[in-house]
Amino acid sequence: MAILKILQYPDERLHTVAIPVAQVTDQIRSLIKDMTETMYAAPGIGLAATQVDVHERIIVIDTSETRDELLVLINPEIIASNGLSDYEEGCLSVPGIYGKVRRAESVTVKALNAQGESFVLDADGLLAVCIQHEMDHLAGKVFVEYWSKLKQSRTLARLKKKQRSTM
Ligand code: K1U
Ligand code: ZN
């Protein structure tokens, strides 16, 4: 297994639209293991393949307190959604920046697991937020891009200042 490098906003590669996984092979399973190790090490509650510069539709998530309830979503599709809620989000690709995003309160998602089997999952709360956040990564969208242009440019300035101070 390996810890992968996580792309940092505003890296243009975060805007790449991921393509569906054609077949769940051992190579895909090996990538899933590396993504899982990377997510737990970060630490994070989710990671999309886009964030490690792989542009295929793969997500790993673990929102449990015990960090032992891994969820793998390959080729995820939201087939139903309900309600709206605002949640304070963070992102491993935008370290140190947190802010609210309005998303569906609950979602039903259809996906393949690491064995290539199809399943359907109903999610609400943090899990629903995380699924939508990670699916945005696969579509090339970063959570700060829901904010006003003014808030986005202030965020970029803060990130650049932080980067300068760690050089
Ligand atoms: O996509 C990512 O960058 C991962 C991101 C997921 C996420 C967090 C909060 C709301 C929506 C989506 C993170 O995991 S940021 C880190 C984080 O929230 C966290 C880390 C350790 C323990 C608990 C939370
Ligand atoms: Zn993110």
Side-chain angles (χ1 to χ4, degrees):
M1 291 213 285
I3 307 268
L4 307 171
K5 188 174 175 294
I6 298 176
L7 297 178
Q8 300 296 296
Y9 183 81
D11 193 310
E12 267 307 309
R13 291 171 288 181
L14 287 168
H15 293 132
T16 310
V17 178
I19 59 165
V21 172
Q23 207 184 343
V24 184
T25 59
D26 285 347
Q27 200 185 335
I28 294 289
R29 278 185 278 272
S30 169
L31 169 65
I32 289 167
K33 281 191 181 145
D34 289 347
M35 285 176 59
T36 303
E37 193 181 11
T38 305
M39 173 187 73
Y40 284 132
I45 57 170
L47 190 71
T50 309
Q51 293 175 279
V52 293
D53 203 20
V54 176
H55 302 286
E56 294 191 64
R57 293 183 59 80
I58 304 167
I59 290 170
V60 294
I61 291 177
D62 189 344
T63 56
S64 72
E65 297 220 335
T66 43
R67 313 287 283 150
D68 60 357
E69 290 174 30
L70 179 68
L71 176 66
V72 175
L73 300 171
I74 300 169
N75 297 342
E77 284 171 69
I78 290 178
I79 56 174
S81 63
N82 266 295
L84 284 175
S85 74
D86 294 326
Y87 194 92
E88 179 102 348
E89 300 191 10
C91 181
L92 299 174
S93 294
V94 198
I97 303 290
Y98 301 89
K100 284 199 171 151
V101 176
R102 179 161 295 172
R103 300 189 186 273
E105 197 169 26
S106 64
V107 293
T108 303
V109 64
K110 184 179 172 201
L112 302 178
N113 65 19
Q115 281 67 51
E117 300 155 344
S118 179
F119 67 99
V120 172
L121 172 79
D122 290 317
D124 59 13
L126 179 58
L127 180 58
V129 172
C130 196
I131 288 171
Q132 293 172 82
H133 176 113
E134 302 309 334
M135 285 185 69
D136 271 351
H137 277 304
L138 300 181
K141 185 162 181 168
V142 179
F143 81 118
V144 298
E145 291 159 359
Y146 282 96
W147 300 345
S148 69
K149 289 284 173 212
L150 177 65
K151 195 167 170 191
Q152 283 185 51
S153 59
R154 284 181 178 158
T155 300
L156 261 179
R158 274 181 65 191
L159 284 169
K160 283 187 180 147
K161 195 173 168 196
K162 254 181 62 176
Q163 280 162 9
R164 275 199 303 273
S165 71
T166 54
M167 274 166 82

